[in-house]
Amino acid sequence: GEDVEQSLFLSVREGDSSVINCTYTDSSSTYLYWYKQEPGAGLQLLTYIFSNMDMKQDQRLTVLLNKKDKHLSLRIADTQTGDSAIYFCAGSNFNKFYFGSGTKLNVKP
Amino acid sequence: SQTIHQWPATLVQPVGSPLSLECTVEGTSNPNLYWYRQAAGRGLQLLFYSVGIGQISSEVPQNLSASRPQDRQFILSSKKLLLSDSGFYLCAWSVGGYGYTFGSGTRLTVV
């Protein structure tokens, strides 16, 4: 299967921008995703990007995809305490999804 | 609207006991269905996926099995639980190549 890697922790101050990074191995992934998991809850799809795109912006979220380096990032502008959660990067290949280990984002007031 | 139901939310089971976790989907037909497990401090691991009734693919060899007796029902089972089966189990569905919709998860503790 595909390997998807993320750093485990990120800590930022409220109002700053957060950038969560992800690398993957399978270049045949059609879509790449970012999910958010709040404590005790299931995963919530935040945004996704099609593999032929370089960037996608959705309100405070910006996704950047570097296919050459197999690198995906999620930027959260004006980070709020409510953004504290675990963020999962995922790639899809055919009918299967592969997730990274998740990055825990801690937003300090 | 499309919803996914997963139960129970929490479960404590002794080692060697059987397991049955159920997941049902509403509002969609012929979804792809998935079981994932998140072990403590680790990422999500794909356990099983199904593209149709009776069609189950296993991603990793383990003490678990899955069945899909109906189009929108996916069941995760074990005949004898191990301590290492403890974790957070998530059911999910997708239609086509778009992303997942996840259930709320079951926290299983094997004691």
mmCIF file of all heavy atoms in Angstrom, chain B residues 11-62:
data_model
loop_
_atom_site.group_PDB
_atom_site.id
_atom_site.type_symbol
_atom_site.label_atom_id
_atom_site.label_comp_id
_atom_site.label_asym_id
_atom_site.label_seq_id
_atom_site.Cartn_x
_atom_site.Cartn_y
_atom_site.Cartn_z
ATOM 1 N N LEU B 11 -17.138 -0.003 23.852
ATOM 2 C CA LEU B 11 -17.306 -1.430 24.131
ATOM 3 C C LEU B 11 -16.104 -1.919 24.909
ATOM 4 O O LEU B 11 -14.963 -1.644 24.532
ATOM 5 C CB LEU B 11 -17.431 -2.190 22.803
ATOM 6 C CG LEU B 11 -17.856 -3.647 22.827
ATOM 7 C CD1 LEU B 11 -19.224 -3.792 23.474
ATOM 8 C CD2 LEU B 11 -17.879 -4.189 21.416
ATOM 9 N N VAL B 12 -16.380 -2.619 25.995
ATOM 10 C CA VAL B 12 -15.318 -3.254 26.773
ATOM 11 C C VAL B 12 -15.590 -4.743 26.748
ATOM 12 O O VAL B 12 -16.664 -5.187 27.165
ATOM 13 C CB VAL B 12 -15.278 -2.722 28.224
ATOM 14 C CG1 VAL B 12 -14.166 -3.429 29.009
ATOM 15 C CG2 VAL B 12 -15.085 -1.219 28.240
ATOM 16 N N GLN B 13 -14.623 -5.504 26.249
ATOM 17 C CA GLN B 13 -14.807 -6.936 26.080
ATOM 18 C C GLN B 13 -13.627 -7.696 26.666
ATOM 19 O O GLN B 13 -12.491 -7.237 26.564
ATOM 20 C CB GLN B 13 -14.920 -7.291 24.590
ATOM 21 C CG GLN B 13 -16.174 -6.784 23.885
ATOM 22 C CD GLN B 13 -17.382 -7.620 24.218
ATOM 23 O OE1 GLN B 13 -18.141 -7.274 25.116
ATOM 24 N NE2 GLN B 13 -17.552 -8.716 23.508
ATOM 25 N N PRO B 14 -13.860 -8.862 27.254
ATOM 26 C CA PRO B 14 -12.737 -9.657 27.757
ATOM 27 C C PRO B 14 -12.006 -10.357 26.620
ATOM 28 O O PRO B 14 -12.573 -10.625 25.559
ATOM 29 C CB PRO B 14 -13.422 -10.671 28.692
ATOM 30 C CG PRO B 14 -14.812 -10.765 28.201
ATOM 31 C CD PRO B 14 -15.163 -9.440 27.612
ATOM 32 N N VAL B 15 -10.752 -10.644 26.860
ATOM 33 C CA VAL B 15 -9.948 -11.418 25.913
ATOM 34 C C VAL B 15 -10.634 -12.754 25.642
ATOM 35 O O VAL B 15 -11.143 -13.410 26.563
ATOM 36 C CB VAL B 15 -8.529 -11.659 26.484
ATOM 37 C CG1 VAL B 15 -7.778 -12.678 25.646
ATOM 38 C CG2 VAL B 15 -7.752 -10.349 26.535
ATOM 39 N N GLY B 16 -10.674 -13.149 24.388
ATOM 40 C CA GLY B 16 -11.268 -14.428 24.024
ATOM 41 C C GLY B 16 -12.742 -14.375 23.711
ATOM 42 O O GLY B 16 -13.319 -15.359 23.223
ATOM 43 N N SER B 17 -13.367 -13.231 23.956
ATOM 44 C CA SER B 17 -14.800 -13.106 23.665
ATOM 45 C C SER B 17 -14.996 -12.724 22.196
ATOM 46 O O SER B 17 -14.077 -12.224 21.548
ATOM 47 C CB SER B 17 -15.439 -12.052 24.579
ATOM 48 O OG SER B 17 -14.898 -10.774 24.312
ATOM 49 N N PRO B 18 -16.202 -12.940 21.657
ATOM 50 C CA PRO B 18 -16.451 -12.573 20.259
ATOM 51 C C PRO B 18 -16.772 -11.087 20.125
ATOM 52 O O PRO B 18 -17.033 -10.388 21.108
ATOM 53 C CB PRO B 18 -17.676 -13.421 19.891
ATOM 54 C CG PRO B 18 -18.388 -13.618 21.197
ATOM 55 C CD PRO B 18 -17.339 -13.671 22.256
ATOM 56 N N LEU B 19 -16.733 -10.619 18.885
ATOM 57 C CA LEU B 19 -16.990 -9.202 18.608
ATOM 58 C C LEU B 19 -17.898 -9.085 17.399
ATOM 59 O O LEU B 19 -17.765 -9.836 16.421
ATOM 60 C CB LEU B 19 -15.678 -8.469 18.305
ATOM 61 C CG LEU B 19 -15.807 -7.019 17.817
ATOM 62 C CD1 LEU B 19 -16.207 -6.101 18.959
ATOM 63 C CD2 LEU B 19 -14.528 -6.537 17.162
ATOM 64 N N SER B 20 -18.814 -8.132 17.470
ATOM 65 C CA SER B 20 -19.603 -7.781 16.297
ATOM 66 C C SER B 20 -19.883 -6.289 16.336
ATOM 67 O O SER B 20 -20.556 -5.803 17.237
ATOM 68 C CB SER B 20 -20.919 -8.564 16.266
ATOM 69 O OG SER B 20 -21.663 -8.208 15.121
ATOM 70 N N LEU B 21 -19.319 -5.562 15.379
ATOM 71 C CA LEU B 21 -19.576 -4.127 15.228
ATOM 72 C C LEU B 21 -20.350 -3.938 13.933
ATOM 73 O O LEU B 21 -20.000 -4.496 12.900
ATOM 74 C CB LEU B 21 -18.276 -3.330 15.164
ATOM 75 C CG LEU B 21 -17.326 -3.436 16.348
ATOM 76 C CD1 LEU B 21 -16.102 -2.551 16.116
ATOM 77 C CD2 LEU B 21 -18.025 -3.040 17.629
ATOM 78 N N GLU B 22 -21.403 -3.114 14.019
ATOM 79 C CA GLU B 22 -22.250 -2.948 12.850
ATOM 80 C C GLU B 22 -22.236 -1.512 12.339
ATOM 81 O O GLU B 22 -22.152 -0.564 13.114
ATOM 82 C CB GLU B 22 -23.688 -3.361 13.180
ATOM 83 C CG GLU B 22 -24.597 -3.382 11.964
ATOM 84 C CD GLU B 22 -25.890 -4.139 12.219
ATOM 85 O OE1 GLU B 22 -25.957 -4.867 13.218
ATOM 86 O OE2 GLU B 22 -26.816 -3.985 11.398
ATOM 87 N N CYS B 23 -22.323 -1.394 11.052
ATOM 88 C CA CYS B 23 -22.336 -0.101 10.390
ATOM 89 C C CYS B 23 -23.406 -0.140 9.312
ATOM 90 O O CYS B 23 -23.463 -1.095 8.529
ATOM 91 C CB CYS B 23 -20.956 0.153 9.779
ATOM 92 S SG CYS B 23 -20.833 1.614 8.754
ATOM 93 N N THR B 24 -24.277 0.872 9.299
ATOM 94 C CA THR B 24 -25.271 0.957 8.238
ATOM 95 C C THR B 24 -25.254 2.350 7.627
ATOM 96 O O THR B 24 -24.960 3.339 8.300
ATOM 97 C CB THR B 24 -26.688 0.645 8.749
ATOM 98 O OG1 THR B 24 -27.013 1.565 9.791
ATOM 99 C CG2 THR B 24 -26.778 -0.765 9.272
ATOM 100 N N VAL B 25 -25.586 2.401 6.368
ATOM 101 C CA VAL B 25 -25.570 3.643 5.611
ATOM 102 C C VAL B 25 -26.978 3.916 5.105
ATOM 103 O O VAL B 25 -27.687 2.992 4.711
ATOM 104 C CB VAL B 25 -24.586 3.535 4.429
ATOM 105 C CG1 VAL B 25 -24.582 4.810 3.608
ATOM 106 C CG2 VAL B 25 -23.179 3.241 4.938
ATOM 107 N N GLU B 26 -27.375 5.178 5.130
ATOM 108 C CA GLU B 26 -28.674 5.569 4.596
ATOM 109 C C GLU B 26 -28.501 6.634 3.527
ATOM 110 O O GLU B 26 -27.576 7.441 3.591
ATOM 111 C CB GLU B 26 -29.552 6.138 5.724
ATOM 112 C CG GLU B 26 -29.940 5.128 6.779
ATOM 113 C CD GLU B 26 -30.768 5.773 7.884
ATOM 114 O OE1 GLU B 26 -31.065 6.981 7.785
ATOM 115 O OE2 GLU B 26 -31.103 5.067 8.852
ATOM 116 N N GLY B 27 -29.389 6.619 2.573
ATOM 117 C CA GLY B 27 -29.434 7.705 1.601
ATOM 118 C C GLY B 27 -28.542 7.532 0.406
ATOM 119 O O GLY B 27 -28.375 8.463 -0.387
ATOM 120 N N THR B 28 -27.985 6.357 0.231
ATOM 121 C CA THR B 28 -27.154 6.120 -0.936
ATOM 122 C C THR B 28 -27.249 4.658 -1.315
ATOM 123 O O THR B 28 -27.585 3.816 -0.478
ATOM 124 C CB THR B 28 -25.689 6.508 -0.677
ATOM 125 O OG1 THR B 28 -24.939 6.384 -1.889
ATOM 126 C CG2 THR B 28 -25.056 5.626 0.388
ATOM 127 N N SER B 29 -26.980 4.349 -2.558
ATOM 128 C CA SER B 29 -27.029 2.966 -3.013
ATOM 129 C C SER B 29 -25.666 2.528 -3.507
ATOM 130 O O SER B 29 -24.901 3.321 -4.052
ATOM 131 C CB SER B 29 -28.035 2.823 -4.167
ATOM 132 O OG SER B 29 -29.332 3.096 -3.723
ATOM 133 N N ASN B 30 -25.385 1.253 -3.271
ATOM 134 C CA ASN B 30 -24.151 0.639 -3.737
ATOM 135 C C ASN B 30 -22.905 1.433 -3.339
ATOM 136 O O ASN B 30 -22.041 1.706 -4.177
ATOM 137 C CB ASN B 30 -24.178 0.462 -5.260
ATOM 138 C CG ASN B 30 -23.126 -0.519 -5.728
ATOM 139 O OD1 ASN B 30 -22.774 -1.443 -5.009
ATOM 140 N ND2 ASN B 30 -22.597 -0.290 -6.914
ATOM 141 N N PRO B 31 -22.808 1.794 -2.075
ATOM 142 C CA PRO B 31 -21.584 2.512 -1.658
ATOM 143 C C PRO B 31 -20.409 1.554 -1.518
ATOM 144 O O PRO B 31 -20.590 0.349 -1.327
ATOM 145 C CB PRO B 31 -21.972 3.074 -0.290
ATOM 146 C CG PRO B 31 -22.934 2.064 0.247
ATOM 147 C CD PRO B 31 -23.699 1.546 -0.943
ATOM 148 N N ASN B 32 -19.211 2.081 -1.577
ATOM 149 C CA ASN B 32 -18.037 1.348 -1.111
ATOM 150 C C ASN B 32 -18.002 1.511 0.405
ATOM 151 O O ASN B 32 -18.183 2.614 0.919
ATOM 152 C CB ASN B 32 -16.758 1.927 -1.703
ATOM 153 C CG ASN B 32 -16.655 1.698 -3.195
ATOM 154 O OD1 ASN B 32 -17.382 0.897 -3.766
ATOM 155 N ND2 ASN B 32 -15.757 2.416 -3.828
ATOM 156 N N LEU B 33 -17.790 0.429 1.109
ATOM 157 C CA LEU B 33 -17.791 0.465 2.566
ATOM 158 C C LEU B 33 -16.437 0.040 3.105
ATOM 159 O O LEU B 33 -15.764 -0.815 2.516
ATOM 160 C CB LEU B 33 -18.885 -0.454 3.115
ATOM 161 C CG LEU B 33 -20.317 -0.040 2.766
ATOM 162 C CD1 LEU B 33 -21.309 -1.118 3.200
ATOM 163 C CD2 LEU B 33 -20.672 1.287 3.423
ATOM 164 N N TYR B 34 -16.046 0.639 4.217
ATOM 165 C CA TYR B 34 -14.701 0.447 4.749
ATOM 166 C C TYR B 34 -14.735 0.297 6.263
ATOM 167 O O TYR B 34 -15.556 0.915 6.942
ATOM 168 C CB TYR B 34 -13.814 1.670 4.445
ATOM 169 C CG TYR B 34 -13.791 2.076 2.991
ATOM 170 C CD1 TYR B 34 -14.809 2.845 2.458
ATOM 171 C CD2 TYR B 34 -12.744 1.697 2.171
ATOM 172 C CE1 TYR B 34 -14.802 3.229 1.128
ATOM 173 C CE2 TYR B 34 -12.724 2.076 0.829
ATOM 174 C CZ TYR B 34 -13.747 2.837 0.320
ATOM 175 O OH TYR B 34 -13.724 3.218 -0.992
ATOM 176 N N TRP B 35 -13.816 -0.501 6.775
ATOM 177 C CA TRP B 35 -13.512 -0.520 8.206
ATOM 178 C C TRP B 35 -12.060 -0.100 8.379
ATOM 179 O O TRP B 35 -11.161 -0.666 7.753
ATOM 180 C CB TRP B 35 -13.703 -1.909 8.808
ATOM 181 C CG TRP B 35 -15.109 -2.250 9.144
ATOM 182 C CD1 TRP B 35 -15.920 -3.150 8.528
ATOM 183 C CD2 TRP B 35 -15.892 -1.697 10.212
ATOM 184 N NE1 TRP B 35 -17.146 -3.191 9.129
ATOM 185 C CE2 TRP B 35 -17.158 -2.314 10.168
ATOM 186 C CE3 TRP B 35 -15.643 -0.755 11.214
ATOM 187 C CZ2 TRP B 35 -18.182 -2.013 11.066
ATOM 188 C CZ3 TRP B 35 -16.647 -0.455 12.110
ATOM 189 C CH2 TRP B 35 -17.895 -1.077 12.032
ATOM 190 N N TYR B 36 -11.880 0.893 9.270
ATOM 191 C CA TYR B 36 -10.553 1.359 9.637
ATOM 192 C C TYR B 36 -10.367 1.169 11.134
ATOM 193 O O TYR B 36 -11.321 1.169 11.899
ATOM 194 C CB TYR B 36 -10.380 2.851 9.330
ATOM 195 C CG TYR B 36 -10.049 3.157 7.899
ATOM 196 C CD1 TYR B 36 -11.040 3.208 6.937
ATOM 197 C CD2 TYR B 36 -8.738 3.401 7.510
ATOM 198 C CE1 TYR B 36 -10.726 3.495 5.619
ATOM 199 C CE2 TYR B 36 -8.412 3.695 6.187
ATOM 200 C CZ TYR B 36 -9.418 3.736 5.256
ATOM 201 O OH TYR B 36 -9.107 4.020 3.960
ATOM 202 N N ARG B 37 -9.110 1.088 11.525
ATOM 203 C CA ARG B 37 -8.788 1.043 12.947
ATOM 204 C C ARG B 37 -7.706 2.084 13.237
ATOM 205 O O ARG B 37 -6.726 2.200 12.488
ATOM 206 C CB ARG B 37 -8.287 -0.329 13.395
ATOM 207 C CG ARG B 37 -7.815 -0.362 14.846
ATOM 208 C CD ARG B 37 -7.530 -1.762 15.309
ATOM 209 N NE ARG B 37 -6.474 -2.380 14.537
ATOM 210 C CZ ARG B 37 -6.250 -3.698 14.512
ATOM 211 N NH1 ARG B 37 -7.019 -4.504 15.197
ATOM 212 N NH2 ARG B 37 -5.261 -4.187 13.801
ATOM 213 N N GLN B 38 -7.930 2.807 14.323
ATOM 214 C CA GLN B 38 -6.913 3.738 14.790
ATOM 215 C C GLN B 38 -6.428 3.242 16.139
ATOM 216 O O GLN B 38 -7.165 3.286 17.118
ATOM 217 C CB GLN B 38 -7.466 5.155 14.911
ATOM 218 C CG GLN B 38 -6.407 6.162 15.354
ATOM 219 C CD GLN B 38 -6.965 7.566 15.453
ATOM 220 O OE1 GLN B 38 -8.140 7.809 15.172
ATOM 221 N NE2 GLN B 38 -6.134 8.507 15.869
ATOM 222 N N ALA B 39 -5.222 2.728 16.179
ATOM 223 C CA ALA B 39 -4.654 2.302 17.447
ATOM 224 C C ALA B 39 -4.099 3.533 18.158
ATOM 225 O O ALA B 39 -3.785 4.546 17.529
ATOM 226 C CB ALA B 39 -3.558 1.273 17.213
ATOM 227 N N ALA B 40 -3.983 3.448 19.467
ATOM 228 C CA ALA B 40 -3.552 4.594 20.270
ATOM 229 C C ALA B 40 -2.218 5.131 19.770
ATOM 230 O O ALA B 40 -1.250 4.390 19.636
ATOM 231 C CB ALA B 40 -3.446 4.185 21.742
ATOM 232 N N GLY B 41 -2.157 6.432 19.478
ATOM 233 C CA GLY B 41 -0.916 7.069 19.048
ATOM 234 C C GLY B 41 -0.505 6.757 17.629
ATOM 235 O O GLY B 41 0.569 7.178 17.193
ATOM 236 N N ARG B 42 -1.349 6.089 16.879
ATOM 237 C CA ARG B 42 -0.996 5.737 15.507
ATOM 238 C C ARG B 42 -2.050 6.250 14.544
ATOM 239 O O ARG B 42 -3.123 6.671 14.946
ATOM 240 C CB ARG B 42 -0.865 4.219 15.387
ATOM 241 C CG ARG B 42 0.216 3.646 16.269
ATOM 242 C CD ARG B 42 0.260 2.134 16.164
ATOM 243 N NE ARG B 42 0.567 1.698 14.805
ATOM 244 C CZ ARG B 42 0.587 0.420 14.438
ATOM 245 N NH1 ARG B 42 0.290 -0.523 15.306
ATOM 246 N NH2 ARG B 42 0.882 0.077 13.208
ATOM 247 N N GLY B 43 -1.742 6.169 13.267
ATOM 248 C CA GLY B 43 -2.685 6.634 12.259
ATOM 249 C C GLY B 43 -3.738 5.597 11.942
ATOM 250 O O GLY B 43 -3.804 4.531 12.553
ATOM 251 N N LEU B 44 -4.567 5.924 10.987
ATOM 252 C CA LEU B 44 -5.641 5.026 10.583
ATOM 253 C C LEU B 44 -5.100 3.910 9.719
ATOM 254 O O LEU B 44 -4.318 4.129 8.804
ATOM 255 C CB LEU B 44 -6.686 5.790 9.796
ATOM 256 C CG LEU B 44 -7.658 6.604 10.624
ATOM 257 C CD1 LEU B 44 -8.378 7.585 9.744
ATOM 258 C CD2 LEU B 44 -8.645 5.706 11.326
ATOM 259 N N GLN B 45 -5.563 2.709 10.006
ATOM 260 C CA GLN B 45 -5.154 1.541 9.236
ATOM 261 C C GLN B 45 -6.388 0.969 8.555
ATOM 262 O O GLN B 45 -7.389 0.679 9.216
ATOM 263 C CB GLN B 45 -4.527 0.510 10.166
ATOM 264 C CG GLN B 45 -4.082 -0.758 9.467
ATOM 265 C CD GLN B 45 -3.566 -1.784 10.442
ATOM 266 O OE1 GLN B 45 -4.076 -1.894 11.565
ATOM 267 N NE2 GLN B 45 -2.555 -2.527 10.050
ATOM 268 N N LEU B 46 -6.332 0.790 7.247
ATOM 269 C CA LEU B 46 -7.433 0.181 6.526
ATOM 270 C C LEU B 46 -7.466 -1.304 6.819
ATOM 271 O O LEU B 46 -6.477 -2.006 6.615
ATOM 272 C CB LEU B 46 -7.287 0.431 5.024
ATOM 273 C CG LEU B 46 -8.319 -0.231 4.118
ATOM 274 C CD1 LEU B 46 -9.723 0.284 4.426
ATOM 275 C CD2 LEU B 46 -7.980 0.009 2.659
ATOM 276 N N LEU B 47 -8.597 -1.791 7.306
ATOM 277 C CA LEU B 47 -8.747 -3.203 7.638
ATOM 278 C C LEU B 47 -9.441 -3.968 6.508
ATOM 279 O O LEU B 47 -8.944 -4.983 6.036
ATOM 280 C CB LEU B 47 -9.550 -3.371 8.925
ATOM 281 C CG LEU B 47 -8.990 -2.718 10.174
ATOM 282 C CD1 LEU B 47 -9.966 -2.901 11.342
ATOM 283 C CD2 LEU B 47 -7.633 -3.280 10.521
ATOM 284 N N PHE B 48 -10.606 -3.494 6.118
ATOM 285 C CA PHE B 48 -11.399 -4.166 5.094
ATOM 286 C C PHE B 48 -12.087 -3.119 4.220
ATOM 287 O O PHE B 48 -12.416 -2.034 4.702
ATOM 288 C CB PHE B 48 -12.495 -5.053 5.715
ATOM 289 C CG PHE B 48 -11.987 -6.132 6.597
ATOM 290 C CD1 PHE B 48 -11.928 -5.946 7.967
ATOM 291 C CD2 PHE B 48 -11.584 -7.353 6.069
ATOM 292 C CE1 PHE B 48 -11.452 -6.942 8.803
ATOM 293 C CE2 PHE B 48 -11.111 -8.361 6.897
ATOM 294 C CZ PHE B 48 -11.041 -8.158 8.269
ATOM 295 N N TYR B 49 -12.354 -3.473 2.991
ATOM 296 C CA TYR B 49 -13.236 -2.650 2.183
ATOM 297 C C TYR B 49 -14.087 -3.562 1.306
ATOM 298 O O TYR B 49 -13.714 -4.700 1.011
ATOM 299 C CB TYR B 49 -12.476 -1.609 1.372
ATOM 300 C CG TYR B 49 -11.708 -2.129 0.186
ATOM 301 C CD1 TYR B 49 -12.270 -2.115 -1.095
ATOM 302 C CD2 TYR B 49 -10.411 -2.596 0.341
ATOM 303 C CE1 TYR B 49 -11.545 -2.559 -2.181
ATOM 304 C CE2 TYR B 49 -9.694 -3.046 -0.745
ATOM 305 C CZ TYR B 49 -10.260 -3.023 -2.009
ATOM 306 O OH TYR B 49 -9.538 -3.464 -3.077
ATOM 307 N N SER B 50 -15.231 -3.020 0.915
ATOM 308 C CA SER B 50 -16.198 -3.806 0.156
ATOM 309 C C SER B 50 -16.803 -2.928 -0.936
ATOM 310 O O SER B 50 -17.254 -1.822 -0.670
ATOM 311 C CB SER B 50 -17.301 -4.325 1.084
ATOM 312 O OG SER B 50 -18.349 -4.890 0.327
ATOM 313 N N VAL B 51 -16.827 -3.446 -2.147
ATOM 314 C CA VAL B 51 -17.418 -2.706 -3.258
ATOM 315 C C VAL B 51 -18.814 -3.219 -3.596
ATOM 316 O O VAL B 51 -19.468 -2.677 -4.491
ATOM 317 C CB VAL B 51 -16.505 -2.730 -4.501
ATOM 318 C CG1 VAL B 51 -15.176 -2.071 -4.186
ATOM 319 C CG2 VAL B 51 -16.301 -4.147 -4.987
ATOM 320 N N GLY B 52 -19.268 -4.283 -2.901
ATOM 321 C CA GLY B 52 -20.604 -4.787 -3.166
ATOM 322 C C GLY B 52 -20.959 -5.887 -2.184
ATOM 323 O O GLY B 52 -20.113 -6.365 -1.411
ATOM 324 N N ILE B 53 -22.215 -6.299 -2.224
ATOM 325 C CA ILE B 53 -22.690 -7.346 -1.313
ATOM 326 C C ILE B 53 -21.826 -8.594 -1.461
ATOM 327 O O ILE B 53 -21.602 -9.071 -2.576
ATOM 328 C CB ILE B 53 -24.166 -7.684 -1.603
ATOM 329 C CG1 ILE B 53 -25.054 -6.473 -1.293
ATOM 330 C CG2 ILE B 53 -24.620 -8.885 -0.763
ATOM 331 C CD1 ILE B 53 -26.505 -6.679 -1.707
ATOM 332 N N GLY B 54 -21.368 -9.108 -0.330
ATOM 333 C CA GLY B 54 -20.589 -10.337 -0.333
ATOM 334 C C GLY B 54 -19.166 -10.188 -0.817
ATOM 335 O O GLY B 54 -18.410 -11.170 -0.840
ATOM 336 N N GLN B 55 -18.759 -8.981 -1.206
ATOM 337 C CA GLN B 55 -17.407 -8.755 -1.720
ATOM 338 C C GLN B 55 -16.585 -8.042 -0.657
ATOM 339 O O GLN B 55 -16.854 -6.886 -0.336
ATOM 340 C CB GLN B 55 -17.443 -7.907 -2.994
ATOM 341 C CG GLN B 55 -18.234 -8.531 -4.128
ATOM 342 C CD GLN B 55 -18.267 -7.619 -5.338
ATOM 343 O OE1 GLN B 55 -17.226 -7.285 -5.904
ATOM 344 N NE2 GLN B 55 -19.442 -7.202 -5.731
ATOM 345 N N ILE B 56 -15.607 -8.750 -0.113
ATOM 346 C CA ILE B 56 -14.793 -8.211 0.964
ATOM 347 C C ILE B 56 -13.327 -8.345 0.582
ATOM 348 O O ILE B 56 -12.877 -9.411 0.164
ATOM 349 C CB ILE B 56 -15.012 -8.970 2.290
ATOM 350 C CG1 ILE B 56 -16.497 -9.083 2.617
ATOM 351 C CG2 ILE B 56 -14.214 -8.323 3.422
ATOM 352 C CD1 ILE B 56 -17.165 -7.764 2.936
ATOM 353 N N SER B 57 -12.596 -7.262 0.747
ATOM 354 C CA SER B 57 -11.151 -7.303 0.550
ATOM 355 C C SER B 57 -10.479 -6.978 1.874
ATOM 356 O O SER B 57 -10.866 -6.037 2.562
ATOM 357 C CB SER B 57 -10.717 -6.296 -0.510
ATOM 358 O OG SER B 57 -11.243 -6.636 -1.760
ATOM 359 N N SER B 58 -9.486 -7.770 2.210
ATOM 360 C CA SER B 58 -8.760 -7.589 3.463
ATOM 361 C C SER B 58 -7.401 -6.980 3.172
ATOM 362 O O SER B 58 -6.694 -7.431 2.278
ATOM 363 C CB SER B 58 -8.593 -8.936 4.161
ATOM 364 O OG SER B 58 -7.766 -8.788 5.303
ATOM 365 N N GLU B 59 -7.088 -5.947 3.936
ATOM 366 C CA GLU B 59 -5.832 -5.269 3.706
ATOM 367 C C GLU B 59 -4.689 -5.834 4.537
ATOM 368 O O GLU B 59 -3.551 -5.789 4.126
ATOM 369 C CB GLU B 59 -5.974 -3.763 4.012
ATOM 370 C CG GLU B 59 -6.734 -3.018 2.949
ATOM 371 C CD GLU B 59 -5.996 -3.017 1.623
ATOM 372 O OE1 GLU B 59 -4.932 -2.391 1.529
ATOM 373 O OE2 GLU B 59 -6.501 -3.651 0.667
ATOM 374 N N VAL B 60 -4.996 -6.326 5.706
ATOM 375 C CA VAL B 60 -3.946 -6.854 6.578
ATOM 376 C C VAL B 60 -4.438 -8.147 7.217
ATOM 377 O O VAL B 60 -5.596 -8.263 7.579
ATOM 378 C CB VAL B 60 -3.552 -5.847 7.676
ATOM 379 C CG1 VAL B 60 -2.850 -4.655 7.077
ATOM 380 C CG2 VAL B 60 -4.750 -5.393 8.467
ATOM 381 N N PRO B 61 -3.547 -9.132 7.372
ATOM 382 C CA PRO B 61 -3.959 -10.366 8.053
ATOM 383 C C PRO B 61 -4.137 -10.101 9.546
ATOM 384 O O PRO B 61 -3.364 -9.391 10.144
ATOM 385 C CB PRO B 61 -2.783 -11.321 7.813
ATOM 386 C CG PRO B 61 -1.616 -10.438 7.556
ATOM 387 C CD PRO B 61 -2.156 -9.191 6.910
ATOM 388 N N GLN B 62 -5.183 -10.596 10.130
ATOM 389 C CA GLN B 62 -5.463 -10.261 11.528
ATOM 390 C C GLN B 62 -6.510 -11.194 12.087
ATOM 391 O O GLN B 62 -6.959 -12.113 11.417
ATOM 392 C CB GLN B 62 -5.971 -8.828 11.605
ATOM 393 C CG GLN B 62 -7.230 -8.630 10.809
ATOM 394 C CD GLN B 62 -7.270 -7.241 10.180
ATOM 395 O OE1 GLN B 62 -6.667 -6.306 10.671
ATOM 396 N NE2 GLN B 62 -7.956 -7.120 9.081
#
